[in-house]
Amino acid sequence: MLLSLPNELLQIIALEADERSRKRLRRTCKILSDLCTPPVFRSVKMYISWDGRWTPLALLFLTALSSGLELARHIKHLSGFLSESKELNDAASSSISDARTRKREEDVKLFNRLFVDAILLMMSLQLLSLERLEDDGRWNG
């Protein structure tokens, strides 16, 4: 029934719906996915932490974007929230911390490469912001 409406009305519905509804509509069918994708990916927030709490999702997302996924062209605002574990910064001498440090360095290099590749595909990008979070996840305002 919804798909029997003209595309102009479907576009208005997609634009007026809240974020959660858009994401749900996007998963229902190809027509609604095509209509809801631009507003869903207009503003993207990434949470990056080198202690492994958030980074895997951010790396997956950047890998998908940098591989040429069409979603990158819809991103107008990209916000990155960076957090680094105090535990990783304080520990410096044990072999465990050496392994963690090497893993973190590899993650940072991979993230940087994917981030630059993805940014190049974001043709609509108008605003890029990066903020540091405190260890407890609060903004460092």
Side-chain angles (χ1 to χ4, degrees), residues 73-104:
R73 68 186 170 107
H74 300 296
I75 298 174
K76 290 185 178 187
H77 304 117
L78 177 62
S79 302
F81 301 95
L82 310 169
S83 175
E84 191 161 341
S85 172
K86 187 172 175 28
E87 169 189 320
L88 289 175
N89 288 333
D90 292 344
S93 60
S94 73
S95 61
I96 293 173
S97 72
D98 289 343
R100 284 183 178 174
T101 301
R102 279 193 299 279
K103 173 69 172 126
R104 180 175 54 168

PDB file of all heavy atoms in Angstrom, residues 73-104:
ATOM      1  N   ARG A  73      29.151   8.674  -0.883  1.00  0.00           N
ATOM      2  CA  ARG A  73      28.764   9.891  -1.613  1.00  0.00           C
ATOM      3  C   ARG A  73      27.642  10.665  -0.923  1.00  0.00           C
ATOM      4  O   ARG A  73      27.407  11.828  -1.219  1.00  0.00           O
ATOM      5  CB  ARG A  73      28.381   9.562  -3.044  1.00  0.00           C
ATOM      6  CG  ARG A  73      27.122   8.768  -3.188  1.00  0.00           C
ATOM      7  CD  ARG A  73      26.908   8.354  -4.641  1.00  0.00           C
ATOM      8  NE  ARG A  73      25.827   7.407  -4.729  1.00  0.00           N
ATOM      9  CZ  ARG A  73      24.629   7.702  -5.223  1.00  0.00           C
ATOM     10  NH1 ARG A  73      24.380   8.916  -5.668  1.00  0.00           N
ATOM     11  NH2 ARG A  73      23.696   6.789  -5.267  1.00  0.00           N
ATOM     12  N   HIS A  74      26.924  10.030   0.007  1.00  0.00           N
ATOM     13  CA  HIS A  74      25.814  10.686   0.700  1.00  0.00           C
ATOM     14  C   HIS A  74      26.247  11.426   1.966  1.00  0.00           C
ATOM     15  O   HIS A  74      25.485  12.226   2.499  1.00  0.00           O
ATOM     16  CB  HIS A  74      24.740   9.665   1.088  1.00  0.00           C
ATOM     17  CG  HIS A  74      24.150   8.955  -0.085  1.00  0.00           C
ATOM     18  ND1 HIS A  74      23.421   9.588  -1.059  1.00  0.00           N
ATOM     19  CD2 HIS A  74      24.212   7.655  -0.454  1.00  0.00           C
ATOM     20  CE1 HIS A  74      23.037   8.719  -1.968  1.00  0.00           C
ATOM     21  NE2 HIS A  74      23.513   7.535  -1.620  1.00  0.00           N
ATOM     22  N   ILE A  75      27.443  11.168   2.447  1.00  0.00           N
ATOM     23  CA  ILE A  75      27.885  11.737   3.728  1.00  0.00           C
ATOM     24  C   ILE A  75      28.226  13.215   3.561  1.00  0.00           C
ATOM     25  O   ILE A  75      29.108  13.582   2.798  1.00  0.00           O
ATOM     26  CB  ILE A  75      29.086  10.950   4.290  1.00  0.00           C
ATOM     27  CG1 ILE A  75      28.666   9.507   4.566  1.00  0.00           C
ATOM     28  CG2 ILE A  75      29.625  11.615   5.550  1.00  0.00           C
ATOM     29  CD1 ILE A  75      29.798   8.596   4.977  1.00  0.00           C
ATOM     30  N   LYS A  76      27.499  14.051   4.304  1.00  0.00           N
ATOM     31  CA  LYS A  76      27.752  15.501   4.292  1.00  0.00           C
ATOM     32  C   LYS A  76      28.463  15.934   5.565  1.00  0.00           C
ATOM     33  O   LYS A  76      29.242  16.874   5.543  1.00  0.00           O
ATOM     34  CB  LYS A  76      26.439  16.274   4.145  1.00  0.00           C
ATOM     35  CG  LYS A  76      25.811  16.130   2.789  1.00  0.00           C
ATOM     36  CD  LYS A  76      24.593  17.009   2.651  1.00  0.00           C
ATOM     37  CE  LYS A  76      24.029  16.864   1.254  1.00  0.00           C
ATOM     38  NZ  LYS A  76      22.960  17.807   0.999  1.00  0.00           N
ATOM     39  N   HIS A  77      28.159  15.275   6.679  1.00  0.00           N
ATOM     40  CA  HIS A  77      28.762  15.613   7.972  1.00  0.00           C
ATOM     41  C   HIS A  77      29.348  14.344   8.575  1.00  0.00           C
ATOM     42  O   HIS A  77      28.627  13.374   8.782  1.00  0.00           O
ATOM     43  CB  HIS A  77      27.725  16.204   8.931  1.00  0.00           C
ATOM     44  CG  HIS A  77      27.032  17.396   8.367  1.00  0.00           C
ATOM     45  ND1 HIS A  77      25.680  17.407   8.128  1.00  0.00           N
ATOM     46  CD2 HIS A  77      27.488  18.601   7.979  1.00  0.00           C
ATOM     47  CE1 HIS A  77      25.341  18.576   7.618  1.00  0.00           C
ATOM     48  NE2 HIS A  77      26.423  19.320   7.505  1.00  0.00           N
ATOM     49  N   LEU A  78      30.634  14.372   8.853  1.00  0.00           N
ATOM     50  CA  LEU A  78      31.298  13.229   9.465  1.00  0.00           C
ATOM     51  C   LEU A  78      31.911  13.685  10.777  1.00  0.00           C
ATOM     52  O   LEU A  78      32.705  14.626  10.803  1.00  0.00           O
ATOM     53  CB  LEU A  78      32.383  12.672   8.541  1.00  0.00           C
ATOM     54  CG  LEU A  78      33.206  11.506   9.076  1.00  0.00           C
ATOM     55  CD1 LEU A  78      32.315  10.294   9.348  1.00  0.00           C
ATOM     56  CD2 LEU A  78      34.313  11.144   8.105  1.00  0.00           C
ATOM     57  N   SER A  79      31.496  13.044  11.859  1.00  0.00           N
ATOM     58  CA  SER A  79      32.021  13.357  13.183  1.00  0.00           C
ATOM     59  C   SER A  79      32.754  12.144  13.715  1.00  0.00           C
ATOM     60  O   SER A  79      32.223  11.033  13.696  1.00  0.00           O
ATOM     61  CB  SER A  79      30.894  13.717  14.154  1.00  0.00           C
ATOM     62  OG  SER A  79      30.154  14.808  13.667  1.00  0.00           O
ATOM     63  N   GLY A  80      33.952  12.362  14.181  1.00  0.00           N
ATOM     64  CA  GLY A  80      34.732  11.290  14.790  1.00  0.00           C
ATOM     65  C   GLY A  80      34.971  11.607  16.251  1.00  0.00           C
ATOM     66  O   GLY A  80      35.333  12.737  16.601  1.00  0.00           O
ATOM     67  N   PHE A  81      34.720  10.640  17.101  1.00  0.00           N
ATOM     68  CA  PHE A  81      34.938  10.796  18.536  1.00  0.00           C
ATOM     69  C   PHE A  81      36.027   9.810  18.935  1.00  0.00           C
ATOM     70  O   PHE A  81      35.835   8.598  18.843  1.00  0.00           O
ATOM     71  CB  PHE A  81      33.636  10.554  19.305  1.00  0.00           C
ATOM     72  CG  PHE A  81      32.548  11.500  18.893  1.00  0.00           C
ATOM     73  CD1 PHE A  81      31.617  11.146  17.932  1.00  0.00           C
ATOM     74  CD2 PHE A  81      32.482  12.764  19.445  1.00  0.00           C
ATOM     75  CE1 PHE A  81      30.630  12.025  17.538  1.00  0.00           C
ATOM     76  CE2 PHE A  81      31.490  13.660  19.060  1.00  0.00           C
ATOM     77  CZ  PHE A  81      30.567  13.289  18.103  1.00  0.00           C
ATOM     78  N   LEU A  82      37.165  10.338  19.335  1.00  0.00           N
ATOM     79  CA  LEU A  82      38.343   9.523  19.606  1.00  0.00           C
ATOM     80  C   LEU A  82      38.548   9.339  21.098  1.00  0.00           C
ATOM     81  O   LEU A  82      38.439  10.279  21.880  1.00  0.00           O
ATOM     82  CB  LEU A  82      39.590  10.193  19.009  1.00  0.00           C
ATOM     83  CG  LEU A  82      39.493  10.622  17.549  1.00  0.00           C
ATOM     84  CD1 LEU A  82      40.675  11.487  17.168  1.00  0.00           C
ATOM     85  CD2 LEU A  82      39.390   9.415  16.648  1.00  0.00           C
ATOM     86  N   SER A  83      38.862   8.119  21.475  1.00  0.00           N
ATOM     87  CA  SER A  83      39.134   7.806  22.871  1.00  0.00           C
ATOM     88  C   SER A  83      40.341   6.886  22.913  1.00  0.00           C
ATOM     89  O   SER A  83      40.513   6.027  22.063  1.00  0.00           O
ATOM     90  CB  SER A  83      37.929   7.112  23.505  1.00  0.00           C
ATOM     91  OG  SER A  83      38.238   6.706  24.816  1.00  0.00           O
ATOM     92  N   GLU A  84      41.176   7.085  23.903  1.00  0.00           N
ATOM     93  CA  GLU A  84      42.329   6.221  24.074  1.00  0.00           C
ATOM     94  C   GLU A  84      42.396   5.787  25.518  1.00  0.00           C
ATOM     95  O   GLU A  84      42.278   6.598  26.426  1.00  0.00           O
ATOM     96  CB  GLU A  84      43.614   6.950  23.677  1.00  0.00           C
ATOM     97  CG  GLU A  84      44.780   6.026  23.585  1.00  0.00           C
ATOM     98  CD  GLU A  84      45.909   6.616  22.771  1.00  0.00           C
ATOM     99  OE1 GLU A  84      45.674   7.557  22.000  1.00  0.00           O
ATOM    100  OE2 GLU A  84      47.019   6.123  22.923  1.00  0.00           O
ATOM    101  N   SER A  85      42.565   4.509  25.727  1.00  0.00           N
ATOM    102  CA  SER A  85      42.577   3.953  27.071  1.00  0.00           C
ATOM    103  C   SER A  85      43.770   4.448  27.866  1.00  0.00           C
ATOM    104  O   SER A  85      44.900   4.392  27.402  1.00  0.00           O
ATOM    105  CB  SER A  85      42.597   2.430  26.993  1.00  0.00           C
ATOM    106  OG  SER A  85      42.785   1.886  28.269  1.00  0.00           O
ATOM    107  N   LYS A  86      43.502   4.929  29.065  1.00  0.00           N
ATOM    108  CA  LYS A  86      44.570   5.351  29.961  1.00  0.00           C
ATOM    109  C   LYS A  86      45.460   4.166  30.316  1.00  0.00           C
ATOM    110  O   LYS A  86      46.661   4.286  30.425  1.00  0.00           O
ATOM    111  CB  LYS A  86      43.951   5.956  31.223  1.00  0.00           C
ATOM    112  CG  LYS A  86      44.941   6.591  32.172  1.00  0.00           C
ATOM    113  CD  LYS A  86      44.169   7.304  33.259  1.00  0.00           C
ATOM    114  CE  LYS A  86      44.924   7.891  34.358  1.00  0.00           C
ATOM    115  NZ  LYS A  86      46.186   8.352  34.343  1.00  0.00           N
ATOM    116  N   GLU A  87      44.854   2.988  30.399  1.00  0.00           N
ATOM    117  CA  GLU A  87      45.587   1.763  30.717  1.00  0.00           C
ATOM    118  C   GLU A  87      46.682   1.508  29.681  1.00  0.00           C
ATOM    119  O   GLU A  87      47.798   1.158  30.015  1.00  0.00           O
ATOM    120  CB  GLU A  87      44.606   0.599  30.749  1.00  0.00           C
ATOM    121  CG  GLU A  87      45.226  -0.773  30.802  1.00  0.00           C
ATOM    122  CD  GLU A  87      44.180  -1.858  30.607  1.00  0.00           C
ATOM    123  OE1 GLU A  87      43.071  -1.718  31.141  1.00  0.00           O
ATOM    124  OE2 GLU A  87      44.501  -2.832  29.906  1.00  0.00           O
ATOM    125  N   LEU A  88      46.371   1.713  28.399  1.00  0.00           N
ATOM    126  CA  LEU A  88      47.366   1.498  27.362  1.00  0.00           C
ATOM    127  C   LEU A  88      48.452   2.559  27.393  1.00  0.00           C
ATOM    128  O   LEU A  88      49.602   2.285  27.079  1.00  0.00           O
ATOM    129  CB  LEU A  88      46.697   1.483  25.982  1.00  0.00           C
ATOM    130  CG  LEU A  88      45.842   0.265  25.668  1.00  0.00           C
ATOM    131  CD1 LEU A  88      45.142   0.452  24.336  1.00  0.00           C
ATOM    132  CD2 LEU A  88      46.677  -0.999  25.655  1.00  0.00           C
ATOM    133  N   ASN A  89      48.105   3.757  27.771  1.00  0.00           N
ATOM    134  CA  ASN A  89      49.108   4.818  27.848  1.00  0.00           C
ATOM    135  C   ASN A  89      50.026   4.646  29.046  1.00  0.00           C
ATOM    136  O   ASN A  89      51.206   4.955  28.972  1.00  0.00           O
ATOM    137  CB  ASN A  89      48.431   6.193  27.929  1.00  0.00           C
ATOM    138  CG  ASN A  89      47.819   6.585  26.605  1.00  0.00           C
ATOM    139  OD1 ASN A  89      48.268   6.148  25.554  1.00  0.00           O
ATOM    140  ND2 ASN A  89      46.784   7.388  26.670  1.00  0.00           N
ATOM    141  N   ASP A  90      49.492   4.162  30.171  1.00  0.00           N
ATOM    142  CA  ASP A  90      50.276   4.039  31.394  1.00  0.00           C
ATOM    143  C   ASP A  90      51.209   2.834  31.378  1.00  0.00           C
ATOM    144  O   ASP A  90      52.300   2.877  31.927  1.00  0.00           O
ATOM    145  CB  ASP A  90      49.355   3.953  32.618  1.00  0.00           C
ATOM    146  CG  ASP A  90      48.624   5.263  32.862  1.00  0.00           C
ATOM    147  OD1 ASP A  90      49.055   6.296  32.289  1.00  0.00           O
ATOM    148  OD2 ASP A  90      47.633   5.260  33.607  1.00  0.00           O
ATOM    149  N   ALA A  91      50.776   1.738  30.761  1.00  0.00           N
ATOM    150  CA  ALA A  91      51.597   0.526  30.756  1.00  0.00           C
ATOM    151  C   ALA A  91      52.639   0.655  29.658  1.00  0.00           C
ATOM    152  O   ALA A  91      52.320   0.868  28.522  1.00  0.00           O
ATOM    153  CB  ALA A  91      50.718  -0.687  30.516  1.00  0.00           C
ATOM    154  N   ALA A  92      53.927   0.510  30.018  1.00  0.00           N
ATOM    155  CA  ALA A  92      54.946   0.680  29.002  1.00  0.00           C
ATOM    156  C   ALA A  92      56.014  -0.401  29.007  1.00  0.00           C
ATOM    157  O   ALA A  92      56.699  -0.569  28.022  1.00  0.00           O
ATOM    158  CB  ALA A  92      55.613   2.042  29.172  1.00  0.00           C
ATOM    159  N   SER A  93      56.173  -1.169  30.078  1.00  0.00           N
ATOM    160  CA  SER A  93      57.336  -2.026  30.149  1.00  0.00           C
ATOM    161  C   SER A  93      57.083  -3.514  29.963  1.00  0.00           C
ATOM    162  O   SER A  93      57.985  -4.237  29.611  1.00  0.00           O
ATOM    163  CB  SER A  93      58.038  -1.809  31.489  1.00  0.00           C
ATOM    164  OG  SER A  93      57.141  -2.128  32.533  1.00  0.00           O
ATOM    165  N   SER A  94      55.876  -4.010  30.178  1.00  0.00           N
ATOM    166  CA  SER A  94      55.641  -5.454  30.106  1.00  0.00           C
ATOM    167  C   SER A  94      55.508  -5.926  28.666  1.00  0.00           C
ATOM    168  O   SER A  94      55.208  -5.156  27.765  1.00  0.00           O
ATOM    169  CB  SER A  94      54.392  -5.831  30.900  1.00  0.00           C
ATOM    170  OG  SER A  94      53.262  -5.412  30.192  1.00  0.00           O
ATOM    171  N   SER A  95      55.730  -7.231  28.439  1.00  0.00           N
ATOM    172  CA  SER A  95      55.597  -7.790  27.095  1.00  0.00           C
ATOM    173  C   SER A  95      54.145  -7.732  26.632  1.00  0.00           C
ATOM    174  O   SER A  95      53.872  -7.623  25.447  1.00  0.00           O
ATOM    175  CB  SER A  95      56.115  -9.219  27.050  1.00  0.00           C
ATOM    176  OG  SER A  95      55.357 -10.039  27.924  1.00  0.00           O
ATOM    177  N   ILE A  96      53.208  -7.824  27.579  1.00  0.00           N
ATOM    178  CA  ILE A  96      51.793  -7.711  27.218  1.00  0.00           C
ATOM    179  C   ILE A  96      51.512  -6.322  26.664  1.00  0.00           C
ATOM    180  O   ILE A  96      50.857  -6.167  25.649  1.00  0.00           O
ATOM    181  CB  ILE A  96      50.879  -8.005  28.431  1.00  0.00           C
ATOM    182  CG1 ILE A  96      51.015  -9.467  28.823  1.00  0.00           C
ATOM    183  CG2 ILE A  96      49.433  -7.654  28.128  1.00  0.00           C
ATOM    184  CD1 ILE A  96      50.295  -9.840  30.091  1.00  0.00           C
ATOM    185  N   SER A  97      52.057  -5.312  27.331  1.00  0.00           N
ATOM    186  CA  SER A  97      51.808  -3.958  26.836  1.00  0.00           C
ATOM    187  C   SER A  97      52.512  -3.736  25.510  1.00  0.00           C
ATOM    188  O   SER A  97      52.017  -3.000  24.668  1.00  0.00           O
ATOM    189  CB  SER A  97      52.230  -2.914  27.868  1.00  0.00           C
ATOM    190  OG  SER A  97      53.630  -2.834  27.955  1.00  0.00           O
ATOM    191  N   ASP A  98      53.669  -4.394  25.279  1.00  0.00           N
ATOM    192  CA  ASP A  98      54.332  -4.289  23.981  1.00  0.00           C
ATOM    193  C   ASP A  98      53.444  -4.855  22.875  1.00  0.00           C
ATOM    194  O   ASP A  98      53.328  -4.271  21.808  1.00  0.00           O
ATOM    195  CB  ASP A  98      55.677  -5.026  23.999  1.00  0.00           C
ATOM    196  CG  ASP A  98      56.728  -4.299  24.838  1.00  0.00           C
ATOM    197  OD1 ASP A  98      56.530  -3.096  25.121  1.00  0.00           O
ATOM    198  OD2 ASP A  98      57.726  -4.947  25.194  1.00  0.00           O
ATOM    199  N   ALA A  99      52.829  -5.995  23.145  1.00  0.00           N
ATOM    200  CA  ALA A  99      51.925  -6.598  22.159  1.00  0.00           C
ATOM    201  C   ALA A  99      50.717  -5.691  21.928  1.00  0.00           C
ATOM    202  O   ALA A  99      50.296  -5.497  20.788  1.00  0.00           O
ATOM    203  CB  ALA A  99      51.472  -7.979  22.627  1.00  0.00           C
ATOM    204  N   ARG A 100      50.177  -5.142  22.990  1.00  0.00           N
ATOM    205  CA  ARG A 100      49.030  -4.229  22.852  1.00  0.00           C
ATOM    206  C   ARG A 100      49.429  -2.974  22.095  1.00  0.00           C
ATOM    207  O   ARG A 100      48.671  -2.472  21.269  1.00  0.00           O
ATOM    208  CB  ARG A 100      48.480  -3.835  24.227  1.00  0.00           C
ATOM    209  CG  ARG A 100      47.673  -4.904  24.883  1.00  0.00           C
ATOM    210  CD  ARG A 100      47.123  -4.404  26.198  1.00  0.00           C
ATOM    211  NE  ARG A 100      46.300  -5.402  26.838  1.00  0.00           N
ATOM    212  CZ  ARG A 100      45.795  -5.265  28.040  1.00  0.00           C
ATOM    213  NH1 ARG A 100      46.019  -4.173  28.738  1.00  0.00           N
ATOM    214  NH2 ARG A 100      45.059  -6.218  28.563  1.00  0.00           N
ATOM    215  N   THR A 101      50.619  -2.473  22.392  1.00  0.00           N
ATOM    216  CA  THR A 101      51.108  -1.273  21.711  1.00  0.00           C
ATOM    217  C   THR A 101      51.274  -1.541  20.218  1.00  0.00           C
ATOM    218  O   THR A 101      50.869  -0.725  19.386  1.00  0.00           O
ATOM    219  CB  THR A 101      52.437  -0.792  22.328  1.00  0.00           C
ATOM    220  OG1 THR A 101      52.221  -0.515  23.706  1.00  0.00           O
ATOM    221  CG2 THR A 101      52.949   0.451  21.634  1.00  0.00           C
ATOM    222  N   ARG A 102      51.852  -2.689  19.868  1.00  0.00           N
ATOM    223  CA  ARG A 102      52.008  -3.038  18.446  1.00  0.00           C
ATOM    224  C   ARG A 102      50.646  -3.175  17.768  1.00  0.00           C
ATOM    225  O   ARG A 102      50.444  -2.685  16.655  1.00  0.00           O
ATOM    226  CB  ARG A 102      52.804  -4.338  18.291  1.00  0.00           C
ATOM    227  CG  ARG A 102      54.309  -4.140  18.398  1.00  0.00           C
ATOM    228  CD  ARG A 102      55.063  -5.364  17.926  1.00  0.00           C
ATOM    229  NE  ARG A 102      54.760  -6.559  18.704  1.00  0.00           N
ATOM    230  CZ  ARG A 102      55.283  -6.866  19.882  1.00  0.00           C
ATOM    231  NH1 ARG A 102      56.142  -6.029  20.443  1.00  0.00           N
ATOM    232  NH2 ARG A 102      54.948  -7.983  20.511  1.00  0.00           N
ATOM    233  N   LYS A 103      49.705  -3.827  18.439  1.00  0.00           N
ATOM    234  CA  LYS A 103      48.360  -3.989  17.890  1.00  0.00           C
ATOM    235  C   LYS A 103      47.698  -2.629  17.696  1.00  0.00           C
ATOM    236  O   LYS A 103      47.072  -2.360  16.664  1.00  0.00           O
ATOM    237  CB  LYS A 103      47.512  -4.869  18.829  1.00  0.00           C
ATOM    238  CG  LYS A 103      46.054  -4.973  18.448  1.00  0.00           C
ATOM    239  CD  LYS A 103      45.828  -5.746  17.180  1.00  0.00           C
ATOM    240  CE  LYS A 103      44.355  -5.983  16.952  1.00  0.00           C
ATOM    241  NZ  LYS A 103      43.902  -5.550  15.667  1.00  0.00           N
ATOM    242  N   ARG A 104      47.871  -1.759  18.687  1.00  0.00           N
ATOM    243  CA  ARG A 104      47.280  -0.420  18.584  1.00  0.00           C
ATOM    244  C   ARG A 104      47.898   0.344  17.418  1.00  0.00           C
ATOM    245  O   ARG A 104      47.201   0.992  16.648  1.00  0.00           O
ATOM    246  CB  ARG A 104      47.471   0.348  19.889  1.00  0.00           C
ATOM    247  CG  ARG A 104      46.879   1.748  19.829  1.00  0.00           C
ATOM    248  CD  ARG A 104      46.941   2.465  21.131  1.00  0.00           C
ATOM    249  NE  ARG A 104      48.286   2.494  21.655  1.00  0.00           N
ATOM    250  CZ  ARG A 104      48.681   3.240  22.667  1.00  0.00           C
ATOM    251  NH1 ARG A 104      47.812   3.993  23.278  1.00  0.00           N
ATOM    252  NH2 ARG A 104      49.906   3.222  23.091  1.00  0.00           N
TER     253      ARG A 104
END
